[in-house]
């Protein structure tokens, strides 16, 4: 087992930007108002399990349906690109469905808000570049941050305010846009080398 702190930090930052739990605080607060209570522990653990299971089985599932990791990563780069545009421009490209108060911790909080298409795609893209143990540590660190943010979302909103949340969201949007471009360039190059 070789832990590389540079890889852990990079994977952590990429996942943190994609999951965007700080930028999702307004959504979390809205869910809390609708459901009355959010089970922070349950949501964090379920999201962590989904992420780690997909990290191990995602490539096998793709192989089963005949898609290579580079193609999936290119598709993921597009998803990240659109998520970044949502964050930077303050627009919504995907419609959120109504949800039952009983299942708020699982849907839409754990999935697809935390462990959504962007984060799952990112995991496979990271796996193509980094060692798996470093990615697992990065996922676990993100789960801890997610739990802390979910538990203290009301306090965070009071401290940094709506403008602060908007600024954080836009900064991470720009970082995510750069990551999307890098992922696309790296994996499209790998695809053309295969051809």
């Amino acid at each position: 087992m070789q832990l590389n702190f540079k890889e852990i930090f990079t994977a952590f930052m990429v996942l943190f930007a994609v999951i965007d739990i700080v930028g999702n605080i307004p959504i979390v607060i809205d869910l809390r108002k609708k459901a009355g209570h959010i089970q922070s522990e349950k949501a964090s653990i379920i999201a962590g399990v989904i992420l780690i299971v997909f990290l191990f089985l995602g490539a096998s599932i793709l192989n089963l349906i005949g898609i290579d990791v580079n193609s999936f990563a290119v598709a993921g780069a597009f998803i990240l690109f659109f998520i970044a545009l949502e964050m930077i421009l303050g627009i919504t490209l995907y419609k959120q469905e109504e949800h039952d108060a009983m299942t708020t911790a699982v849907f839409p909080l754990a999935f697809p808000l935390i462990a959504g298409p962007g984060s799952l795609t990112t995991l496979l893209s990271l796996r193509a570049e980094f060692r798996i143990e470093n990615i697992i540590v990065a996922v676990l660190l993100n789960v801890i941050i997610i739990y802390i943010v979910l538990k203290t979302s009301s306090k965070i909103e009071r401290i940094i305010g709506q403008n602060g949340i908007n600024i954080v969201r836009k900064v991470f949007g720009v970082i995510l846009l750069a990551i999307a471009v890098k992922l696309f360039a790296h994996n499209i190059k790998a695809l053309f080398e295969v051809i």
Side-chain angles (χ1 to χ4, degrees), residues 30-43:
D30 188 49
L31 287 172
R32 182 172 271 137
K33 284 175 188 166
K34 287 177 184 171
H37 173 69
I38 286 178
Q39 294 174 308
S40 307
E41 300 88 353
K42 188 177 176 184

Side-chain angles (χ1 to χ4, degrees), residues 49-123:
V49 168
I50 292 169
L51 291 168
I52 289 173
V53 166
F54 195 80
L55 178 64
F56 284 100
L57 299 180
S60 304
I61 293 165
L62 290 179
N63 287 338
L64 194 66
I65 55 176
I67 301 170
D68 63 281
V69 174
N70 293 115
S71 300
F72 193 75
V74 168
F78 282 114
I79 291 171
L80 296 182
F81 179 80
F82 290 117
I83 292 170
L85 284 183
E86 282 186 346
M87 291 165 72
I88 295 165
L89 303 175
I91 56 173
T92 305
L93 296 173
Y94 117 102
K95 183 182 176 286
Q96 298 199 351
E97 296 171 9
E98 288 299 313
H99 48 273
D100 186 280
M102 297 282 285
T103 58
T104 301
V106 180
F107 186 86
L109 197 54
F111 181 85
L113 198 65
I114 298 168
S119 49
L120 296 178
T121 306
T122 303
L123 280 176

Side-chain angles (χ1 to χ4, degrees), residues 2-171:
Q2 277 185 303
L3 291 179
N4 179 320
F5 292 106
K6 185 176 184 284
E7 281 192 10
I8 290 169
F9 181 74
T10 305
F12 169 78
M13 287 306 293
V14 170
L15 284 169
F16 186 75
V18 173
I19 294 168
D20 184 33
I21 193 64
V22 176
N24 284 321
I25 287 174
I27 298 166
V28 172
I29 290 163
D30 188 49
L31 287 172
R32 182 172 271 137
K33 284 175 188 166
K34 287 177 184 171
H37 173 69
I38 286 178
Q39 294 174 308
S40 307
E41 300 88 353
K42 188 177 176 184
S44 305
I45 291 167
I46 290 170
V49 168
I50 292 169
L51 291 168
I52 289 173
V53 166
F54 195 80
L55 178 64
F56 284 100
L57 299 180
S60 304
I61 293 165
L62 290 179
N63 287 338
L64 194 66
I65 55 176
I67 301 170
D68 63 281
V69 174
N70 293 115
S71 300
F72 193 75
V74 168
F78 282 114
I79 291 171
L80 296 182
F81 179 80
F82 290 117
I83 292 170
L85 284 183
E86 282 186 346
M87 291 165 72
I88 295 165
L89 303 175
I91 56 173
T92 305
L93 296 173
Y94 117 102
K95 183 182 176 286
Q96 298 199 351
E97 296 171 9
E98 288 299 313
H99 48 273
D100 186 280
M102 297 282 285
T103 58
T104 301
V106 180
F107 186 86
L109 197 54
F111 181 85
L113 198 65
I114 298 168
S119 49
L120 296 178
T121 306
T122 303
L123 280 176
L124 285 190
S125 305
L126 289 171
R127 190 169 177 180
E129 291 184 51
F130 300 142
R131 294 181 64 87
I132 200 154
E133 60 266 26
N134 296 324
I135 301 170
I136 291 169
V137 173
V139 168
L140 294 175
L141 290 172
N142 268 290
V143 168
I144 292 166
I145 299 285
I146 288 162
Y147 172 73
I148 292 167
V149 171
L150 290 178
K151 207 74 177 158
T152 61
S153 57
S154 304
K155 289 177 189 168
I156 292 170
E157 188 194 30
R158 282 197 302 271
I159 292 166
I160 65 175
Q162 189 58 49
N163 286 337
I165 290 169
N166 290 339
I167 290 166
V168 169
R169 193 173 169 89
K170 288 186 189 324
V171 168

